[in-house]
Amino acid sequence: MRITTYEDLMLLLDGLYAGGADRSSHDAAPFWDNLLQQQDHPLHTDRPDAALLTWQEEGLLAAERDGRRALDVGCGLGRNSRWLAAQGFTVTGVDIAPYAVAEATRRSTGHTAEYLVLDFVREQLPGAPFDLVYDSGCFHHLAPHRRISYMEALRECLAPGGLFGICTFTAGQMGTTASDEELLLQRGLEGGIAYTLDELREMFSWLEPVDSRQMPAPHDHGHEVFSHDFLQVVLFRRG
């Protein structure tokens, strides 16, 4: 293969992570399908992220108009999608795992939500733009070069004035802190990449940071939520 285009380069680098090493690609769908069917796994839950409830309580998810539309990237079994739908959003959830999408659809009867088997960074997303894009755990499974594709996809789907929320592994708590060069040379992501809050703010510097913190603790809310101390969240707004 001779590289002559941007897409040629991306596909060549994708090949370094063949077999599901990049857990955001369709190659990794069997991994997620298997994991999400394990009833004792923390992701096999209906609890929404604690950060979403915190942001709502603090008035940060308020919109100026009706008909708010939300995109849930890496929606899994749809726990955050269903919560967003219950708050009045019309929700689209996307995931690479067919089982996850089928189960999310089954669990979402009565909610204004639809689910698609789709690779957010490599495939065209219908229905854009969205007033809110939320990613709970997809970004930290991306191979380094696909952060570029992620940014491009986000620019395409996030409406002006829209909000982008992201939840990732916290450096020093969970995930690898290896450099991008090391991750490329070893052709693996060691289960996920850890970031600092400063790194996330820098990488998404084209957006205005609204809030950044460790994932709020479960006892901060009056009902059951999803929260772990190795997770952190940032909320941005597009100007």
Side-chain angles (χ1 to χ4, degrees):
M1 175 183 181
R2 301 297 184 188
I3 298 172
T4 59
T5 68
Y6 166 85
E7 189 58 26
D8 287 343
L9 177 59
M10 287 292 172
L11 291 174
L12 177 65
L13 293 173
D14 280 346
L16 299 179
Y17 298 95
D22 175 348
R23 291 180 178 168
S24 71
S25 73
H26 282 298
D27 284 349
F31 170 86
W32 292 113
D33 276 341
N34 178 66
L35 184 147
L36 291 169
Q37 291 181 68
Q38 299 174 20
Q39 296 191 10
D40 59 346
H41 193 277
L43 291 178
H44 194 96
T45 179
D46 286 322
R47 299 177 181 181
D49 281 6
L52 289 174
L53 278 75
T54 296
W55 291 335
Q56 182 200 49
E57 292 168 358
E58 295 180 357
L60 300 178
L61 295 186
E64 296 179 357
R65 58 182 177 82
D66 295 330
R68 298 174 296 173
R69 303 182 66 246
L71 173 67
D72 186 4
V73 179
C75 65
L77 302 180
R79 57 191 180 82
N80 290 317
S81 294
R82 286 188 293 279
W83 184 86
L84 289 167
Q87 311 315 307
F89 286 93
T90 299
V91 183
T92 298
V94 298
D95 203 287
I96 59 169
Y99 167 79
V101 168
E103 181 64 11
T105 301
R106 186 187 71 80
R107 295 186 184 192
S108 294
T109 302
H111 293 287
T112 309
E114 67 169 345
Y115 299 93
L116 304 172
V117 178
L118 185 138
D119 181 339
F120 178 67
V121 302
R122 297 172 180 85
E123 297 175 337
Q124 188 66 37
L125 175 70
F130 295 89
D131 303 293
L132 170 66
V133 176
Y134 187 62
D135 173 351
S136 182
C138 177
F139 187 76
H140 58 220
H141 288 300
L142 285 174
H145 65 287
R146 281 299 179 179
R147 292 192 205 108
I148 300 171
S149 306
Y150 187 101
M151 296 294 179
E152 292 173 343
L154 184 60
R155 288 179 188 274
E156 287 293 320
C157 73
L158 184 60
L163 295 170
F164 169 59
I166 186 170
C167 169
T168 73
F169 291 150
T170 301
Q173 297 291 324
M174 177 72 76
T176 181
T177 55
S179 69
D180 287 351
E181 181 181 8
E182 290 172 316
L183 294 174
L184 286 166
L185 290 174
Q186 69 190 27
R187 301 188 178 194
L189 303 181
E190 302 179 20
I193 301 173
Y195 297 100
T196 67
L197 290 173
D198 284 342
E199 284 178 320
L200 292 173
R201 287 188 290 261
E202 181 178 356
M203 285 187 288
F204 293 95
S205 61
W206 54 281
L207 299 170
E208 173 194 354
V210 175
D211 180 63
S212 58
R213 64 179 85 186
Q214 293 304 117
M215 179 71 84
H219 56 71
D220 291 344
H221 301 279
H223 50 276
E224 295 183 336
V225 293
F226 182 86
S227 178
H228 291 280
D229 57 10
F230 55 79
L231 297 174
Q232 62 191 355
V233 291
V234 186
L235 184 66
F236 297 93
R237 178 179 289 107
R238 185 171 193 175

